[in-house]
mmCIF file of all heavy atoms in Angstrom:
data_model
loop_
_atom_site.group_PDB
_atom_site.id
_atom_site.type_symbol
_atom_site.label_atom_id
_atom_site.label_comp_id
_atom_site.label_asym_id
_atom_site.label_seq_id
_atom_site.Cartn_x
_atom_site.Cartn_y
_atom_site.Cartn_z
ATOM 1 N N LEU A 65 2.041 23.164 -32.138
ATOM 2 C CA LEU A 65 3.421 22.974 -31.675
ATOM 3 C C LEU A 65 3.998 21.695 -32.264
ATOM 4 O O LEU A 65 5.185 21.620 -32.585
ATOM 5 C CB LEU A 65 3.457 22.897 -30.151
ATOM 6 C CG LEU A 65 3.001 24.141 -29.396
ATOM 7 C CD1 LEU A 65 3.153 23.933 -27.896
ATOM 8 C CD2 LEU A 65 3.789 25.354 -29.840
ATOM 9 N N ALA A 66 3.157 20.692 -32.410
ATOM 10 C CA ALA A 66 3.633 19.416 -32.938
ATOM 11 C C ALA A 66 4.105 19.553 -34.386
ATOM 12 O O ALA A 66 5.035 18.866 -34.802
ATOM 13 C CB ALA A 66 2.536 18.361 -32.834
ATOM 14 N N VAL A 67 3.475 20.434 -35.143
ATOM 15 C CA VAL A 67 3.857 20.557 -36.558
ATOM 16 C C VAL A 67 4.825 21.713 -36.804
ATOM 17 O O VAL A 67 5.322 21.871 -37.914
ATOM 18 C CB VAL A 67 2.622 20.723 -37.468
ATOM 19 C CG1 VAL A 67 1.711 19.518 -37.350
ATOM 20 C CG2 VAL A 67 1.869 22.007 -37.164
ATOM 21 N N CYS A 68 5.084 22.519 -35.782
ATOM 22 C CA CYS A 68 5.984 23.669 -35.969
ATOM 23 C C CYS A 68 7.383 23.186 -36.340
ATOM 24 O O CYS A 68 7.992 22.415 -35.599
ATOM 25 C CB CYS A 68 6.055 24.495 -34.692
ATOM 26 S SG CYS A 68 7.272 25.824 -34.805
ATOM 27 N N PRO A 69 7.926 23.630 -37.481
ATOM 28 C CA PRO A 69 9.249 23.136 -37.888
ATOM 29 C C PRO A 69 10.361 23.504 -36.911
ATOM 30 O O PRO A 69 11.348 22.785 -36.793
ATOM 31 C CB PRO A 69 9.471 23.788 -39.257
ATOM 32 C CG PRO A 69 8.480 24.888 -39.348
ATOM 33 C CD PRO A 69 7.340 24.543 -38.457
ATOM 34 N N TRP A 70 10.197 24.591 -36.180
ATOM 35 C CA TRP A 70 11.239 24.986 -35.231
ATOM 36 C C TRP A 70 11.333 24.011 -34.061
ATOM 37 O O TRP A 70 12.384 23.882 -33.432
ATOM 38 C CB TRP A 70 10.984 26.405 -34.708
ATOM 39 C CG TRP A 70 11.271 27.431 -35.753
ATOM 40 C CD1 TRP A 70 10.358 28.118 -36.487
ATOM 41 C CD2 TRP A 70 12.559 27.857 -36.216
ATOM 42 N NE1 TRP A 70 10.986 28.946 -37.379
ATOM 43 C CE2 TRP A 70 12.341 28.798 -37.227
ATOM 44 C CE3 TRP A 70 13.861 27.516 -35.870
ATOM 45 C CZ2 TRP A 70 13.375 29.425 -37.908
ATOM 46 C CZ3 TRP A 70 14.907 28.137 -36.549
ATOM 47 C CH2 TRP A 70 14.655 29.073 -37.564
ATOM 48 N N ASN A 71 10.233 23.350 -33.767
ATOM 49 C CA ASN A 71 10.240 22.469 -32.593
ATOM 50 C C ASN A 71 11.049 21.193 -32.796
ATOM 51 O O ASN A 71 11.271 20.446 -31.839
ATOM 52 C CB ASN A 71 8.810 22.145 -32.164
ATOM 53 C CG ASN A 71 8.227 23.295 -31.367
ATOM 54 O OD1 ASN A 71 8.961 24.154 -30.891
ATOM 55 N ND2 ASN A 71 6.920 23.324 -31.249
ATOM 56 N N ARG A 72 11.511 20.952 -34.015
ATOM 57 C CA ARG A 72 12.385 19.787 -34.175
ATOM 58 C C ARG A 72 13.728 20.023 -33.489
ATOM 59 O O ARG A 72 14.484 19.104 -33.244
ATOM 60 C CB ARG A 72 12.566 19.429 -35.645
ATOM 61 C CG ARG A 72 13.370 20.413 -36.455
ATOM 62 C CD ARG A 72 13.554 19.869 -37.883
ATOM 63 N NE ARG A 72 14.354 20.755 -38.696
ATOM 64 C CZ ARG A 72 13.867 21.654 -39.521
ATOM 65 N NH1 ARG A 72 12.561 21.797 -39.643
ATOM 66 N NH2 ARG A 72 14.668 22.413 -40.241
ATOM 67 N N PHE A 73 13.997 21.281 -33.157
ATOM 68 C CA PHE A 73 15.240 21.587 -32.430
ATOM 69 C C PHE A 73 15.046 21.514 -30.907
ATOM 70 O O PHE A 73 16.000 21.658 -30.157
ATOM 71 C CB PHE A 73 15.732 22.995 -32.787
ATOM 72 C CG PHE A 73 15.977 23.175 -34.257
ATOM 73 C CD1 PHE A 73 15.199 24.041 -35.004
ATOM 74 C CD2 PHE A 73 16.985 22.460 -34.895
ATOM 75 C CE1 PHE A 73 15.415 24.199 -36.363
ATOM 76 C CE2 PHE A 73 17.209 22.615 -36.258
ATOM 77 C CZ PHE A 73 16.418 23.483 -36.995
ATOM 78 N N ALA A 74 13.805 21.354 -30.479
ATOM 79 C CA ALA A 74 13.537 21.372 -29.032
ATOM 80 C C ALA A 74 14.107 20.129 -28.354
ATOM 81 O O ALA A 74 14.161 19.048 -28.939
ATOM 82 C CB ALA A 74 12.028 21.448 -28.796
ATOM 83 N N ARG A 75 14.529 20.294 -27.124
ATOM 84 C CA ARG A 75 15.036 19.174 -26.338
ATOM 85 C C ARG A 75 14.154 19.031 -25.085
ATOM 86 O O ARG A 75 13.538 19.990 -24.649
ATOM 87 C CB ARG A 75 16.460 19.443 -25.874
ATOM 88 C CG ARG A 75 17.422 19.770 -26.996
ATOM 89 C CD ARG A 75 18.734 19.004 -26.820
ATOM 90 N NE ARG A 75 19.784 19.315 -27.759
ATOM 91 C CZ ARG A 75 19.673 19.445 -29.070
ATOM 92 N NH1 ARG A 75 18.493 19.353 -29.628
ATOM 93 N NH2 ARG A 75 20.705 19.691 -29.839
ATOM 94 N N GLU A 76 14.136 17.827 -24.534
ATOM 95 C CA GLU A 76 13.350 17.607 -23.326
ATOM 96 C C GLU A 76 13.960 18.391 -22.164
ATOM 97 O O GLU A 76 15.175 18.320 -21.942
ATOM 98 C CB GLU A 76 13.326 16.115 -22.986
ATOM 99 C CG GLU A 76 12.416 15.813 -21.821
ATOM 100 C CD GLU A 76 12.294 14.319 -21.562
ATOM 101 O OE1 GLU A 76 11.773 13.605 -22.434
ATOM 102 O OE2 GLU A 76 12.709 13.883 -20.487
ATOM 103 N N GLY A 77 13.112 19.135 -21.458
ATOM 104 C CA GLY A 77 13.584 19.885 -20.304
ATOM 105 C C GLY A 77 14.049 18.954 -19.191
ATOM 106 O O GLY A 77 13.564 17.828 -19.085
ATOM 107 N N ARG A 78 14.962 19.433 -18.357
ATOM 108 C CA ARG A 78 15.540 18.543 -17.342
ATOM 109 C C ARG A 78 14.536 18.142 -16.274
ATOM 110 O O ARG A 78 14.736 17.161 -15.564
ATOM 111 C CB ARG A 78 16.788 19.169 -16.726
ATOM 112 C CG ARG A 78 16.564 20.431 -15.989
ATOM 113 C CD ARG A 78 17.886 21.088 -15.593
ATOM 114 N NE ARG A 78 17.678 22.486 -15.282
ATOM 115 C CZ ARG A 78 17.234 22.931 -14.124
ATOM 116 N NH1 ARG A 78 16.964 22.082 -13.169
ATOM 117 N NH2 ARG A 78 17.043 24.213 -13.925
ATOM 118 N N MET A 79 13.438 18.879 -16.119
ATOM 119 C CA MET A 79 12.452 18.519 -15.091
ATOM 120 C C MET A 79 11.276 17.731 -15.651
ATOM 121 O O MET A 79 10.399 17.307 -14.897
ATOM 122 C CB MET A 79 11.940 19.797 -14.422
ATOM 123 C CG MET A 79 13.046 20.578 -13.732
ATOM 124 S SD MET A 79 12.487 22.181 -13.161
ATOM 125 C CE MET A 79 11.568 21.706 -11.722
ATOM 126 N N MET A 80 11.250 17.548 -16.964
ATOM 127 C CA MET A 80 10.062 16.944 -17.571
ATOM 128 C C MET A 80 9.816 15.508 -17.108
ATOM 129 O O MET A 80 8.695 15.123 -16.792
ATOM 130 C CB MET A 80 10.142 17.026 -19.090
ATOM 131 C CG MET A 80 9.946 18.448 -19.594
ATOM 132 S SD MET A 80 10.260 18.642 -21.340
ATOM 133 C CE MET A 80 8.827 17.843 -22.033
ATOM 134 N N SER A 81 10.864 14.701 -17.054
ATOM 135 C CA SER A 81 10.681 13.302 -16.641
ATOM 136 C C SER A 81 10.238 13.219 -15.191
ATOM 137 O O SER A 81 9.347 12.437 -14.846
ATOM 138 C CB SER A 81 11.991 12.523 -16.815
ATOM 139 O OG SER A 81 12.335 12.488 -18.165
ATOM 140 N N ALA A 82 10.864 14.046 -14.351
ATOM 141 C CA ALA A 82 10.570 13.982 -12.913
ATOM 142 C C ALA A 82 9.118 14.341 -12.619
ATOM 143 O O ALA A 82 8.520 13.815 -11.678
ATOM 144 C CB ALA A 82 11.510 14.910 -12.155
ATOM 145 N N TYR A 83 8.544 15.234 -13.432
ATOM 146 C CA TYR A 83 7.183 15.699 -13.155
ATOM 147 C C TYR A 83 6.138 15.109 -14.107
ATOM 148 O O TYR A 83 4.984 15.518 -14.083
ATOM 149 C CB TYR A 83 7.135 17.231 -13.218
ATOM 150 C CG TYR A 83 7.803 17.867 -12.020
ATOM 151 C CD1 TYR A 83 9.162 18.159 -12.034
ATOM 152 C CD2 TYR A 83 7.077 18.145 -10.863
ATOM 153 C CE1 TYR A 83 9.788 18.722 -10.923
ATOM 154 C CE2 TYR A 83 7.693 18.705 -9.758
ATOM 155 C CZ TYR A 83 9.045 18.992 -9.795
ATOM 156 O OH TYR A 83 9.654 19.532 -8.704
ATOM 157 N N ALA A 84 6.559 14.174 -14.919
ATOM 158 C CA ALA A 84 5.616 13.578 -15.874
ATOM 159 C C ALA A 84 4.495 12.853 -15.124
ATOM 160 O O ALA A 84 4.709 12.287 -14.052
ATOM 161 C CB ALA A 84 6.356 12.605 -16.779
#
Side-chain angles (χ1 to χ4, degrees):
L65 297 183
V67 299
C68 174
W70 287 104
N71 280 343
R72 69 176 182 264
F73 302 114
R75 305 225 185 315
E76 186 175 296
R78 63 189 161 82
M79 299 172 76
M80 288 172 73
S81 296
Y83 287 89

